[in-house]
Short mmCIF file of all heavy atoms in Angstrom, two decimals:
data_model
loop_
_atom_site.label_atom_id
_atom_site.label_comp_id
_atom_site.label_asym_id
_atom_site.label_seq_id
_atom_site.Cartn_x
_atom_site.Cartn_y
_atom_site.Cartn_z
N ASN A 62 5.12 -11.50 0.05
CA ASN A 62 4.02 -11.71 -0.90
C ASN A 62 3.68 -10.47 -1.71
O ASN A 62 2.65 -10.44 -2.36
CB ASN A 62 2.78 -12.24 -0.15
CG ASN A 62 2.42 -11.37 1.04
OD1 ASN A 62 2.97 -10.27 1.19
ND2 ASN A 62 1.53 -11.84 1.88
N ARG A 129 -6.24 -3.98 17.23
CA ARG A 129 -7.31 -4.02 18.23
C ARG A 129 -6.76 -4.55 19.56
O ARG A 129 -5.79 -5.29 19.60
CB ARG A 129 -8.43 -4.95 17.77
CG ARG A 129 -9.29 -4.33 16.69
CD ARG A 129 -10.34 -5.32 16.22
NE ARG A 129 -11.06 -5.91 17.34
CZ ARG A 129 -11.59 -7.13 17.32
NH1 ARG A 129 -11.47 -7.89 16.27
NH2 ARG A 129 -12.24 -7.59 18.37
N LEU A 131 -7.97 -6.15 23.61
CA LEU A 131 -9.02 -6.93 24.25
C LEU A 131 -9.87 -6.07 25.19
O LEU A 131 -10.94 -6.48 25.61
CB LEU A 131 -8.41 -8.09 25.04
CG LEU A 131 -7.79 -9.19 24.18
CD1 LEU A 131 -6.86 -10.07 25.01
CD2 LEU A 131 -8.88 -10.04 23.55
N VAL A 163 -1.47 -13.57 21.68
CA VAL A 163 -2.90 -13.88 21.66
C VAL A 163 -3.43 -13.64 20.25
O VAL A 163 -3.26 -12.55 19.70
CB VAL A 163 -3.67 -12.99 22.68
CG1 VAL A 163 -5.16 -13.32 22.67
CG2 VAL A 163 -3.09 -13.14 24.08
N GLY A 164 -4.10 -14.65 19.68
CA GLY A 164 -4.69 -14.51 18.34
C GLY A 164 -4.37 -15.70 17.46
O GLY A 164 -3.54 -16.55 17.84
N GLY A 165 -5.04 -15.79 16.32
CA GLY A 165 -4.84 -16.95 15.45
C GLY A 165 -4.81 -16.60 13.96
O GLY A 165 -4.90 -17.47 13.12
N GLY A 166 -4.66 -15.31 13.66
CA GLY A 166 -4.59 -14.88 12.25
C GLY A 166 -3.14 -14.78 11.78
O GLY A 166 -2.21 -15.18 12.49
N ASN A 167 -2.96 -14.24 10.59
CA ASN A 167 -1.61 -14.08 10.05
C ASN A 167 -0.72 -13.27 10.98
O ASN A 167 0.45 -13.59 11.18
CB ASN A 167 -1.66 -13.36 8.70
CG ASN A 167 -1.88 -14.32 7.55
OD1 ASN A 167 -1.81 -15.52 7.72
ND2 ASN A 167 -2.15 -13.78 6.39
N THR A 168 -1.29 -12.20 11.53
CA THR A 168 -0.48 -11.34 12.40
C THR A 168 0.04 -12.12 13.59
O THR A 168 1.22 -12.08 13.92
CB THR A 168 -1.29 -10.11 12.87
OG1 THR A 168 -1.81 -9.46 11.72
CG2 THR A 168 -0.45 -9.15 13.67
N ALA A 169 -0.85 -12.86 14.27
CA ALA A 169 -0.46 -13.61 15.46
C ALA A 169 0.64 -14.62 15.12
O ALA A 169 1.65 -14.72 15.84
CB ALA A 169 -1.67 -14.32 16.06
N GLU A 171 2.69 -14.67 12.49
CA GLU A 171 3.94 -13.99 12.09
C GLU A 171 4.65 -13.43 13.31
O GLU A 171 5.87 -13.49 13.42
CB GLU A 171 3.62 -12.84 11.14
CG GLU A 171 3.45 -13.30 9.72
CD GLU A 171 3.44 -12.16 8.73
OE1 GLU A 171 3.28 -11.00 9.14
OE2 GLU A 171 3.59 -12.44 7.53
N HIS A 187 -5.01 -19.19 21.60
CA HIS A 187 -6.03 -18.92 20.58
C HIS A 187 -7.40 -19.44 21.03
O HIS A 187 -7.49 -20.52 21.60
CB HIS A 187 -5.63 -19.55 19.24
CG HIS A 187 -6.58 -19.24 18.15
ND1 HIS A 187 -7.19 -18.02 18.01
CD2 HIS A 187 -7.06 -20.02 17.13
CE1 HIS A 187 -7.98 -18.04 16.96
NE2 HIS A 187 -7.93 -19.24 16.41
N ARG A 188 -8.42 -18.68 20.72
CA ARG A 188 -9.75 -18.98 21.26
C ARG A 188 -10.44 -20.18 20.60
O ARG A 188 -11.46 -20.64 21.10
CB ARG A 188 -10.65 -17.75 21.17
CG ARG A 188 -10.97 -17.28 19.76
CD ARG A 188 -11.83 -16.04 19.81
NE ARG A 188 -12.11 -15.51 18.48
CZ ARG A 188 -12.79 -14.40 18.26
NH1 ARG A 188 -13.23 -13.69 19.28
NH2 ARG A 188 -12.99 -13.98 17.04
N ARG A 189 -9.93 -20.64 19.47
CA ARG A 189 -10.52 -21.80 18.79
C ARG A 189 -9.48 -22.90 18.68
O ARG A 189 -8.37 -22.76 19.16
CB ARG A 189 -10.98 -21.41 17.38
CG ARG A 189 -12.16 -20.50 17.37
CD ARG A 189 -12.67 -20.31 15.95
NE ARG A 189 -11.72 -19.66 15.07
CZ ARG A 189 -11.29 -20.19 13.92
NH1 ARG A 189 -11.69 -21.39 13.55
NH2 ARG A 189 -10.44 -19.52 13.16
N ARG A 193 -6.62 -19.16 11.58
CA ARG A 193 -7.09 -18.68 10.29
C ARG A 193 -5.91 -18.19 9.43
O ARG A 193 -6.09 -17.77 8.30
CB ARG A 193 -8.15 -17.59 10.45
CG ARG A 193 -7.65 -16.28 11.02
CD ARG A 193 -8.69 -15.18 10.91
NE ARG A 193 -9.87 -15.48 11.69
CZ ARG A 193 -11.12 -15.38 11.23
NH1 ARG A 193 -11.32 -15.01 9.99
NH2 ARG A 193 -12.13 -15.65 12.02
N GLU A 195 -2.53 -18.15 7.05
CA GLU A 195 -2.19 -18.94 5.85
C GLU A 195 -1.46 -20.22 6.24
O GLU A 195 -0.67 -20.22 7.20
CB GLU A 195 -1.23 -18.12 4.97
CG GLU A 195 -1.89 -16.98 4.24
CD GLU A 195 -0.87 -16.03 3.64
OE1 GLU A 195 0.24 -16.48 3.28
OE2 GLU A 195 -1.18 -14.84 3.54
N THR A 215 -8.60 -18.07 26.05
CA THR A 215 -8.50 -16.61 25.91
C THR A 215 -7.68 -16.04 27.07
O THR A 215 -7.52 -16.70 28.10
CB THR A 215 -9.89 -15.94 25.93
OG1 THR A 215 -10.55 -16.35 27.12
CG2 THR A 215 -10.72 -16.33 24.72
N ALA A 252 -2.58 -9.85 19.27
CA ALA A 252 -2.61 -9.83 17.80
C ALA A 252 -3.96 -10.35 17.32
O ALA A 252 -4.06 -11.40 16.71
CB ALA A 252 -1.46 -10.69 17.26
N ILE A 253 -5.01 -9.59 17.65
CA ILE A 253 -6.37 -10.08 17.41
C ILE A 253 -7.07 -9.31 16.29
O ILE A 253 -8.29 -9.24 16.24
CB ILE A 253 -7.21 -10.03 18.69
CG1 ILE A 253 -7.27 -8.60 19.25
CG2 ILE A 253 -6.67 -11.01 19.73
CD1 ILE A 253 -8.39 -8.40 20.25
N GLY A 254 -6.30 -8.73 15.40
CA GLY A 254 -6.92 -8.06 14.26
C GLY A 254 -6.88 -6.55 14.37
O GLY A 254 -6.21 -6.01 15.25
N HIS A 255 -7.63 -5.95 13.50
CA HIS A 255 -7.54 -4.50 13.35
C HIS A 255 -8.91 -3.85 13.26
O HIS A 255 -9.86 -4.50 12.85
CB HIS A 255 -6.72 -4.18 12.10
CG HIS A 255 -5.30 -4.60 12.26
ND1 HIS A 255 -4.89 -5.89 11.98
CD2 HIS A 255 -4.21 -3.94 12.70
CE1 HIS A 255 -3.60 -6.00 12.26
NE2 HIS A 255 -3.17 -4.82 12.69
N ILE A 298 -12.14 -7.76 3.97
CA ILE A 298 -12.02 -9.13 3.45
C ILE A 298 -10.56 -9.50 3.16
O ILE A 298 -10.02 -10.44 3.72
CB ILE A 298 -12.86 -9.31 2.17
CG1 ILE A 298 -14.33 -9.00 2.47
CG2 ILE A 298 -12.72 -10.74 1.62
CD1 ILE A 298 -15.22 -8.95 1.27
N TYR A 299 -9.90 -8.75 2.29
CA TYR A 299 -8.56 -9.14 1.84
C TYR A 299 -7.45 -8.54 2.68
O TYR A 299 -6.51 -9.23 3.05
CB TYR A 299 -8.37 -8.77 0.36
CG TYR A 299 -9.43 -9.39 -0.52
CD1 TYR A 299 -10.45 -8.63 -1.07
CD2 TYR A 299 -9.42 -10.77 -0.76
CE1 TYR A 299 -11.42 -9.22 -1.86
CE2 TYR A 299 -10.39 -11.36 -1.54
CZ TYR A 299 -11.40 -10.58 -2.09
OH TYR A 299 -12.37 -11.16 -2.85
N ARG A 300 -7.51 -7.23 2.92
CA ARG A 300 -6.59 -6.51 3.81
C ARG A 300 -5.10 -6.79 3.54
O ARG A 300 -4.32 -7.01 4.46
CB ARG A 300 -6.94 -6.84 5.27
CG ARG A 300 -8.32 -6.35 5.62
CD ARG A 300 -8.72 -6.69 7.02
NE ARG A 300 -8.94 -8.10 7.21
CZ ARG A 300 -9.52 -8.64 8.25
NH1 ARG A 300 -9.91 -7.88 9.24
NH2 ARG A 300 -9.70 -9.93 8.34
N GLN A 301 -4.75 -6.80 2.30
CA GLN A 301 -3.35 -7.03 1.93
C GLN A 301 -2.75 -5.74 1.38
O GLN A 301 -3.48 -4.89 0.85
CB GLN A 301 -3.26 -8.11 0.84
CG GLN A 301 -3.88 -9.43 1.24
CD GLN A 301 -3.19 -10.03 2.44
OE1 GLN A 301 -2.00 -10.23 2.46
NE2 GLN A 301 -3.96 -10.30 3.48
P1 NAP B 1 -7.41 -11.43 11.56
O1 NAP B 1 -7.08 -12.20 10.34
O2 NAP B 1 -8.73 -10.74 11.66
O3 NAP B 1 -7.24 -12.42 12.79
C1 NAP B 1 -7.56 -12.02 14.09
C2 NAP B 1 -7.37 -13.21 15.01
O4 NAP B 1 -7.61 -12.80 16.35
C3 NAP B 1 -8.32 -14.36 14.70
O5 NAP B 1 -7.65 -15.58 14.82
C4 NAP B 1 -9.41 -14.19 15.75
O6 NAP B 1 -9.95 -15.41 16.17
C5 NAP B 1 -8.64 -13.60 16.91
N1 NAP B 1 -9.49 -12.72 17.72
C6 NAP B 1 -10.26 -11.69 17.30
N2 NAP B 1 -10.88 -11.11 18.34
C7 NAP B 1 -10.50 -11.80 19.45
C8 NAP B 1 -10.81 -11.68 20.82
N3 NAP B 1 -11.62 -10.74 21.29
N4 NAP B 1 -10.24 -12.57 21.67
C9 NAP B 1 -9.39 -13.53 21.22
N5 NAP B 1 -9.06 -13.68 19.93
C10 NAP B 1 -9.61 -12.83 19.05
O7 NAP B 1 -6.35 -10.28 11.85
P2 NAP B 1 -4.79 -10.20 11.50
O8 NAP B 1 -4.10 -11.45 11.82
O9 NAP B 1 -4.32 -8.94 12.14
O10 NAP B 1 -4.77 -9.99 9.95
C11 NAP B 1 -5.49 -8.91 9.37
C12 NAP B 1 -5.39 -9.01 7.85
O11 NAP B 1 -4.07 -8.69 7.46
C13 NAP B 1 -5.70 -10.41 7.32
O12 NAP B 1 -6.39 -10.30 6.11
C14 NAP B 1 -4.35 -11.00 7.09
O13 NAP B 1 -4.34 -11.96 6.06
C15 NAP B 1 -3.55 -9.76 6.71
N6 NAP B 1 -2.13 -9.96 7.05
C16 NAP B 1 -1.35 -10.52 6.08
C17 NAP B 1 -0.02 -10.77 6.33
C18 NAP B 1 0.80 -11.40 5.25
O14 NAP B 1 0.23 -11.75 4.22
N7 NAP B 1 2.08 -11.58 5.43
C19 NAP B 1 0.52 -10.47 7.59
C20 NAP B 1 -0.31 -9.93 8.56
C21 NAP B 1 -1.65 -9.69 8.29
P3 NAP B 1 -10.88 -16.30 15.20
O15 NAP B 1 -9.95 -16.95 14.23
O16 NAP B 1 -11.54 -17.23 16.14
O17 NAP B 1 -11.83 -15.34 14.56
#
Side-chain angles (χ1 to χ4, degrees):
N62 52 11
R129 284 177 50 209
L131 290 163
V163 181
N167 273 350
T168 306
E171 278 192 345
H187 184 38
R188 65 182 177 183
R189 290 188 296 123
R193 68 169 63 228
E195 286 167 30
T215 55
I253 58 163
H255 294 85
I298 302 172
Y299 303 106
R300 297 178 290 193
Q301 303 298 305

